[in-house]
């Protein structure tokens, strides 16, 4: 058994076919078949079940695959560590929630690419669970996700703190309206979106549990649908600032337990901290002064407040607004 055999095995397992794996590896099908057969003979057990549409892993194949992925990643990390002389260069794959990518990362990406032109940076957007799984699977070097994150294979560092807002159409006057709205809908990303799950919890605390969801794939689409009166959403206040100024929507302060959401950067604990990733995080981290400015002002609240304030007022973006 060697790393080349395991690389072929993993490609076949991932693509589900000998031909597809051969095309990905830029080799002929007979070579792929020969390596798989040699690996099966050495291990003394079949790794795939063949059928008309391709192949599927046997139980033995499923047990072997995580080791094949880990070995391939260790070899990749070993090469990168040996070649890493402290100068940021080479590939760097970062993941991010759509909201963070639009609100927080443009300036970070611009500064990083200007300072380190030899880094081949790629950015992938997705929901928090999907991004975390991609980091665990070593498909991303790290990702910005909604905290908190507690996983034995991940290291999490808080980078940003977002003040959240429940947004609704211009006709909504307060949070109490939600329970009276016929056919109340949530406008959000797909079901594993962390913000969507938080909003569902807020509504459930008010006794609103049967809520339909309109899934939209873009941030602008969500804001546009809310402005059109199609439903409500929960988003970082920063991404709805312009829509509020244009009076296209109204925004309301959510309950205290979801008023602030930390955006954390997650990466594998066992991954080599490349110079490129270290340089990226140095730029992404807010300065100490900016971090102090971002801290929310203390809010006086009575013990065990109700889930949603009945007198919640719209969030103001102009002078004269004070937190209760």
């Amino acid at each position: 058994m060697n790393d080349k055999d395991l690389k072929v095995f993993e490609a076949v397992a991932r693509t589900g076919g000998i031909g597809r794996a051969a095309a990905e590896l830029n080799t002929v099908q007979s070579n792929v078949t020969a390596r798989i057969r040699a690996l099966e003979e050495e291990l003394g057990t079949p790794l795939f079940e063949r059928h008309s549409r391709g192949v599927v892993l046997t139980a033995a194949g499923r047990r072997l695959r995580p080791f094949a992925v880990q070995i391939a990643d260790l070899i990749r990390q070993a090469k990168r560590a040996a070649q890493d002389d402290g100068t940021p260069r080479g590939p760097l794959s970062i993941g991010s929630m759509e909201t963070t990518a639009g609100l927080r990362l443009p300036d970070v990406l611009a500064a990083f690419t200007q300072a380190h032109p030899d880094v081949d940076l790629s950015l992938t957007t997705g929901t928090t669970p999907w991004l975390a799984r991609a980091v665990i699977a070593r498909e991303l070097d790290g990702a910005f996700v909604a905290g908190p994150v507690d996983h034995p294979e991940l290291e999490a560092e808080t980078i940003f703190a977002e003040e959240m807002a429940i947004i609704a159409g211009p006709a909504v006057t307060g949070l109490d309206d939600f329970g009276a709205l016929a056919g109340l809908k949530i406008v959000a990303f797909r079901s594993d979106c962390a913000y969507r799950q938080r909003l569902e919890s807020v509504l459930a605390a008010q006794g609103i549990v049967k809520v339909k969801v309109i899934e939209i794939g873009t941030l602008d689409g969500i804001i546009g649908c809310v402005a059109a009166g199609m439903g409500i959403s929960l988003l970082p206040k920063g991404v709805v600032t312009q829509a509020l100024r244009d009076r296209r929507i109204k925004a309301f302060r959510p309950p205290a337990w979801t008023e602030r959401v930390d955006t954390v950067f997650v990466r594998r604990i066992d991954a080599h901290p490349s110079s490129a990733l270290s340089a990226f995080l140095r730029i992404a981290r807010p300065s100490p002064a900016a971090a102090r400015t971002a801290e929310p002002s203390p809010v006086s609240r009575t013990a065990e407040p109700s889930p949603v304030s009945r007198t919640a007022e719209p969030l103001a973006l102009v002078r004269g607004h004070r937190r209760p």
Side-chain angles (χ1 to χ4, degrees), residues 45 54 90 127 140 146 187 202 260 288 307:
T45 184
T127 61
L140 295 172
V187 185
V202 170
R260 167 180 161 152

Side-chain angles (χ1 to χ4, degrees), residues 181-200:
L181 290 175
L184 177 65
K185 297 179 180 67
I186 291 175
V187 185
F189 296 111
R190 61 177 188 255
S191 59
D192 57 353
C193 171
Y195 297 157
R196 167 177 167 177
Q197 293 170 352
R198 286 173 180 261
L199 180 54
E200 289 173 337

Side-chain angles (χ1 to χ4, degrees), residues 164-170 172 175 178 184-187 199 219 222-227 231-237 239-241 243-244 249-254 315:
M164 305 302 293
I166 297 176
I167 62 171
V172 176
L175 294 180
F178 297 159
L184 177 65
K185 297 179 180 67
I186 291 175
V187 185
L199 180 54
L219 185 59
I222 290 174
I223 296 173
C225 287
V226 171
I232 65 174
S233 192
L234 176 72
L235 292 171
K237 181 180 173 182
V239 301
V240 300
T241 300
L244 283 170
I249 61 173
K250 286 183 179 178
F252 303 88
R253 181 176 295 111
L315 291 170

